[in-house]
Amino acid sequence: MIRTLYTRLALGLFVLLVAVGLVYSVISLYSLREYNASLNQELNRDLAKKLVQDRNLINEGRLDEAALKELFSLYMAINPSIEIYLLDREGRILSYSADPEKIKRNQVSLAPIQRLLDDMAAYPVLGDDPRSHDRQKVFSVTPIPSADKLEGYLYVVLRGEEYDMAETMARSGHFIEMSAWAVVISLAFGMVAGLAVFRLLTRRLTRLTGLVEQFEHTGMSRQPPQTWQQQRPEVRDEVDYLGVTFDHMAQRIASQIEELQDKDSLRRRLVAQVSHDLRTPLASMQGYVESLRMKRKVLSDAEQERFLDIALEEGRRLGRLVDELFELAALEAREKQPQPEPFAAAELIYDVSHKHVPEAERKNLVLNVSGSLSLPLVYGDLAMTERVLDNLISNAITYSPAGESVELALALEGERLTVRVSDAGPGIPEQDRPHIFEAFYRGDARNTSGHAGLGLAIARRIMEMQGGTISVFNNPVCGATFEIRLPVYQDNDLPPK
């Protein structure tokens, strides 16, 4: 429970409120003391002066000692919170109304006295407390003249011993209790209000956490039943943005896992197909070699030659399959990258077709090439494009019956140059066309004597890597047409040197 965000926020709020309460209490006490001192000094700033005037302490220009003692006695009874001191011109204490046993100083500093006399509105001004070596108190002061000269000062400490005792009792009593209750109630209210606000703020995060848990429980293979964007169609703040981002991430992860599962299924099927296709020529080659070894004495020279030819052909078939497997693996792993350059596609078509003329003549086929040699250059990998054309022309020759023709046509369509290779074979069944470019896929119309198809999978991968496309469709009468498209060369296609 303590690991949840709401609990941590609640604990953080509690600690913060306690700290704020303590700081507030300290500042309030300090401010209250300063305020009381200023108020007390302002209200009694003329107290010392009035005492001198009202009690007739100056008689015939001199200080009346008897009147001063009477003043001490009177104010100790009437207002015990103040203490009255008689100072000489140097600040030495001559007489006082306080308890003699508690007087710690013989002299007070004249600097605060002079500062207050210079500016009676400067509050609070603290002076030395004769009852302490380091404590300072607010005071009222007035000079006492004698025969046209300064005889001393009447120094009145406004917060004397009795005041301190009364203040201490008040703090330890009802005032402290009320202050404590006020702080506790304020903190409790702040805590409840803060928890309510945190609940409102974390409610959406809790819902988002629920969506993440649902997604995790599904094995990340499908999105939660209700997405964040369905709950909150409008993105208003960072939490909504996080929820929408999670939706996109979950959708992408689910699609990637589905794709990985499809890839794994395809990999298993490919492994099984590869095992079969490798085992078939290997078993055939092994069978003929063993037969030749066992029956060499009874077989004629012609039969031995035939056995050797068949074993050699199966070896070549096995070698071609292994080479195609390595080529497809290199293309899928991007170990083999295209090296694009501008070249004349028309010249390449004529060159490749001439290379396949002997193969076509052996099957009594005609290779026809149509298209202008003045077509613009295309931008692609010359060797890879030749590899694709070799595969398409070889397949067209393989599936065309004797006496027919294989058509190669070039055309410019917009910013793409199109090459079509058409055969006169049985065509491709509709159910096979979506899978014709998949590795090892073998349709019903394929010649089962040949090895499983990797050439078309390689051709599609090559065309995708160099920015082209490859497609297939059936001809109206008979046969199928494979079409490749390459981008026309533009001046900005070449990389900077």
Side-chain angles (χ1 to χ4, degrees), residues 288 291-309:
Y288 278 103
S291 298
L292 181 61
R293 181 179 180 182
M294 294 173 59
K295 300 178 181 181
R296 183 172 51 186
K297 296 181 179 180
V298 298
L299 293 176
S300 63
D301 292 343
E303 290 175 329
Q304 291 183 23
E305 288 292 333
R306 187 172 64 85
F307 277 28
L308 288 175
D309 289 341

Side-chain angles (χ1 to χ4, degrees), residues 81-311:
S81 65
I82 66 172
E83 296 171 358
I84 305 173
Y85 298 87
L86 179 61
L87 309 179
D88 65 8
R89 290 178 297 179
E90 304 298 329
R92 289 187 292 269
I93 300 174
L94 302 177
S95 180
Y96 46 83
S97 65
D99 186 356
E101 296 181 356
K102 296 183 178 180
I103 299 300
K104 303 294 180 63
R105 289 176 177 263
N106 295 324
Q107 184 177 1
V108 298
S109 174
L110 294 179
I113 294 175
Q114 193 62 46
R115 187 163 63 250
L116 183 60
L117 291 174
D118 292 340
D119 184 5
M120 297 299 291
Y123 306 121
V125 178
L126 301 182
D128 293 337
D129 183 3
R131 294 186 296 107
S132 173
H133 292 293
D134 53 2
R135 189 168 54 216
Q136 290 186 319
K137 296 288 188 70
V138 291
F139 63 93
S140 176
V141 68
T142 186
I144 301 177
S146 178
D148 297 332
K149 64 178 181 178
L150 179 63
E151 181 172 330
Y153 301 93
L154 187 65
Y155 184 73
V156 182
V157 177
L158 301 177
R159 300 174 62 177
E161 180 181 8
E162 296 294 332
Y163 184 92
D164 291 341
M165 293 175 60
E167 184 182 31
T168 302
M169 292 178 62
R171 288 182 182 175
S172 60
H174 184 68
F175 176 75
I176 296 298
E177 182 180 354
M178 290 296 295
S179 299
W181 275 112
V183 171
V184 169
I185 293 174
S186 300
L187 293 180
F189 176 78
M191 187 71 182
V192 173
L195 292 178
V197 172
F198 285 164
R199 172 60 66 184
L200 292 175
L201 293 177
T202 59
R203 183 174 55 186
R204 289 180 296 151
L205 287 175
T206 303
R207 289 206 304 265
L208 181 57
T209 302
L211 292 178
V212 174
E213 291 178 349
Q214 292 179 15
F215 184 59
E216 183 181 7
H217 291 159
T218 63
M220 300 185 182
S221 58
R222 62 180 183 274
Q223 281 189 285
Q226 187 178 21
T227 64
W228 180 268
Q229 204 156 15
Q230 290 174 340
Q231 298 179 9
R232 302 268 299 183
E234 184 178 355
V235 177
R236 297 179 179 178
D237 54 18
E238 292 83 353
V239 178
D240 290 338
Y241 177 76
L242 184 62
V244 173
T245 304
F246 167 74
D247 287 343
H248 296 162
M249 181 191 68
Q251 181 180 6
R252 185 172 182 179
I253 291 177
S255 63
Q256 287 179 342
I257 290 180
E258 183 179 0
E259 184 178 351
L260 287 175
Q261 291 174 345
D262 293 341
K263 292 286 186 181
D264 184 68
S265 176
L266 177 61
R267 179 186 61 81
R268 295 175 184 272
R269 184 163 59 85
L270 289 181
V271 170
Q273 187 66 48
V274 167
S275 300
H276 175 269
D277 285 340
L278 290 177
R279 186 166 54 247
T280 299
L282 187 62
S284 177
M285 184 171 57
Q286 184 179 357
Y288 278 103
V289 172
E290 289 180 353
S291 298
L292 181 61
R293 181 179 180 182
M294 294 173 59
K295 300 178 181 181
R296 183 172 51 186
K297 296 181 179 180
V298 298
L299 293 176
S300 63
D301 292 343
E303 290 175 329
Q304 291 183 23
E305 288 292 333
R306 187 172 64 85
F307 277 28
L308 288 175
D309 289 341
I310 293 175

